[in-house]
Amino acid sequence: MHELNATKRIIKDVLETCKKYDVKQVSEIVVRVGILTSFEAEPIKYYFSTIKEEYPILTKAKLIILIEDSEIYCKTCKKENIIKNSYLMECPECGSDEVKIIKGQDVIIQEIKRGTK
Amino acid sequence: MCQECGCSEKETIQVEKHIHEANNKIAHDSWHMLKDKDIFCLNIMGGPGCGKTSFIEEISKYIPPQQIAVIQGDLESDIDKQRLEAQGIQTYQINTHSGCHLTAEMVSKAIEQMNLEDIYFLIIENVGNLVCPAGVRLGQHSNIVLSATTEGSDKPKKYPIIFHDAQLILITKYDLRKYVEFDQTRYLADVTELNKKAPILTVSTKQKESWDEVVQWLAKERQALLIHTHCH
């Protein structure tokens, strides 16, 4: 259920981009899903495979999901670090919890590949 | 260049678009609009039956109900709206039907319909759910997460994101802890791993004095917002 709205949003944004760049057929969509979003790749792919049939421009499109690790900026030691598979937001360099999440909380449409009709 | 026909159209279009961009823009505008009106906006999150509506009822015994407005999110029904209106609290009901959380647009449209004059606290009671509402910006200034002793002490481990994003965590139905063998030590250790900043308070509708600290926190945080100059 959670992923359904996200998938609809992805499709809406892809269609807008296609209109802007005059894309007539999409062959591939690459989406980065942040580890902190709580979205799972499989339900998004499932919903996409169902909904895309409503849009001729997307019927041949393959959806590729890349899971993005979280990245934090430490306000204490001023360093950026990737945090793998963890919700523990501590700087691995100095142990400070004065950190800002700079990656991993978003779903980003990375690129769209044109297909042939 | 296109490999099919040699035309100049690029095969790959770099998009780099955040799907929550539109939501976050609306949330940003609501955040500022509410702050400009001196209204502290809270997003109350927790599983079904954890005591979100009771939380509002309890604080309305300390804060005049006329200073509180509520946006109530549920899949169906206006049961909680009726409960809160019986306490004299202005309440706007949103029924999301199949939607598992509120969005900034839903909240913004609700705000347009409400009378926020003389309101100090706008409370958004999100759809009962420990997963989906987490991380969705609505325009709130703070997140409060409630989890009841009756839900078990493993909730922070199982649903880390919502606890990570909280500014205040309330353990509700605290009077029942001994009957449900709530492991408070484990719970506190697990929350602290995820979130070292949020105060964790224990409350019960059967222990009137347990709400004192909550109300103090609300007053302090509202004051901090009013002198604050940057958004989150």
Side-chain angles (χ1 to χ4, degrees):
Chain A
M1 194 153 86
H2 187 41
E3 282 82 1
L4 177 58
N5 283 337
T7 313
K8 284 180 180 172
R9 192 72 236 177
I10 291 168
I11 290 175
K12 188 171 181 285
D13 286 349
V14 166
L15 293 175
E16 278 174 14
T17 307
C18 289
K19 199 174 172 188
K20 186 178 169 188
Y21 290 93
D22 196 28
V23 176
K24 300 283 190 285
Q25 191 73 49
V26 177
S27 67
E28 195 175 286
I29 302 161
V30 181
V31 174
R32 298 200 305 274
V33 175
I35 192 99
L36 299 175
T37 60
S38 75
F39 289 122
E40 292 288 333
E42 286 312 312
I44 296 177
K45 285 183 183 173
Y46 168 74
Y47 288 130
F48 180 78
S49 69
T50 309
I51 301 171
K52 74 173 186 179
E53 298 302 327
E54 295 171 25
Y55 303 97
I57 194 173
L58 298 178
T59 47
K60 293 178 186 169
K62 187 180 172 195
L63 178 65
I64 295 175
I65 306 261
L66 308 173
I67 301 296
E68 188 170 64
D69 285 324
S70 61
E71 201 170 320
I72 57 169
Y73 171 75
C74 176
K75 294 175 188 172
T76 307
C77 70
K78 318 280 185 213
K79 286 181 184 162
E80 289 176 7
N81 274 291
I82 291 169
I83 308 291
K84 280 193 181 287
N85 305 319
S86 173
Y87 298 105
L88 309 183
M89 292 300 153
E90 274 182 1
C91 175
E93 303 268 345
C94 71
S96 167
D97 61 352
E98 287 295 320
V99 296
K100 189 179 177 210
I101 300 168
I102 52 176
K103 259 188 200 171
Q105 288 182 306
D106 298 303
V107 177
I108 299 164
I109 302 169
Q110 182 173 300
E111 60 186 42
I112 296 169
K113 286 195 171 72
R114 278 180 209 271
T116 48
K117 284 184 189 173
Chain B
M1 184 178 282
C2 168
Q3 289 178 356
E4 296 292 327
C5 65
C7 72
S8 60
E9 283 184 336
K10 279 184 185 169
E11 268 190 283
T12 302
I13 299 154
Q14 300 299 328
V15 185
E16 286 300 316
K17 187 174 169 63
H18 295 228
I19 66 159
H20 294 120
E21 216 169 77
N23 181 81
N24 293 349
K25 166 78 176 70
I26 298 169
H28 175 88
D29 292 346
S30 296
W31 193 104
H32 284 279
M33 185 273 286
L34 292 166
K35 181 185 181 302
D36 290 346
K37 289 180 185 291
D38 292 350
I39 297 170
F40 183 42
C41 181
L42 298 156
N43 179 23
I44 309 292
M45 297 180 285
C50 69
K52 296 185 290 300
T53 311
S54 297
F55 161 86
I56 303 169
E57 286 173 328
E58 288 303 315
I59 64 161
S60 74
K61 292 172 186 168
Y62 293 81
I63 300 163
Q66 312 89 282
Q67 292 178 0
I68 303 171
V70 174
I71 296 172
Q72 181 65 242
D74 276 304
L75 266 68
E76 301 293 344
S77 93
D78 64 350
I79 294 168
D80 291 348
K81 178 179 189 282
Q82 289 181 36
R83 264 175 74 180
L84 295 172
E85 284 179 343
Q87 306 294 320
I89 301 168
Q90 181 192 170
T91 308
Y92 186 94
Q93 180 73 53
I94 298 174
N95 285 140
T96 58
H97 307 296
S98 63
C100 48
H101 61 83
L102 295 176
T103 65
E105 189 180 11
M106 289 175 187
V107 168
S108 170
K109 283 184 176 166
I111 289 172
E112 282 173 19
Q113 302 296 317
M114 300 174 84
N115 176 13
L116 297 181
E117 207 162 306
D118 302 324
I119 294 296
Y120 282 38
F121 297 94
L122 174 63
I123 302 176
I124 303 166
E125 186 183 325
N126 221 315
V127 177
N129 186 328
L130 279 169
V131 186
C132 309
V136 180
R137 290 173 58 190
L138 305 174
Q140 76 272 27
H141 302 118
S142 283
N143 290 323
I144 301 182
V145 170
L146 281 68
S147 75
T149 53
T150 49
E151 293 175 272
S153 37
D154 53 6
K155 291 299 159 289
K157 269 276 193 245
K158 289 184 174 176
Y159 304 93
I161 298 175
I162 208 157
F163 287 92
H164 176 265
D165 288 346
Q167 277 74 49
L168 175 68
I169 295 164
L170 299 181
I171 304 174
T172 59
K173 306 185 188 184
Y174 194 62
D175 55 313
L176 299 178
R177 67 190 183 284
K178 52 185 177 288
Y179 304 108
V180 295
E181 296 178 358
F182 181 73
D183 184 346
Q184 192 166 343
T185 308
R186 174 187 172 183
Y187 183 97
L188 295 177
D190 291 345
V191 172
T192 309
E193 268 197 351
L194 295 162
N195 185 339
K196 290 187 173 60
K197 290 179 186 160
I200 306 163
L201 303 177
T202 57
V203 291
S204 161
T205 55
K206 307 285 184 254
Q207 296 161 338
K208 196 173 178 294
E209 66 287 356
S210 68
W211 296 90
D212 293 351
E213 268 191 89
V214 177
V215 176
Q216 283 167 20
W217 184 89
L218 291 170
K220 184 169 70 75
E221 291 298 309
R222 179 173 179 270
Q223 206 51 43
L225 172 74
L226 301 190
I227 57 167
H228 189 70
T229 51
H230 307 289
C231 58
H232 288 288

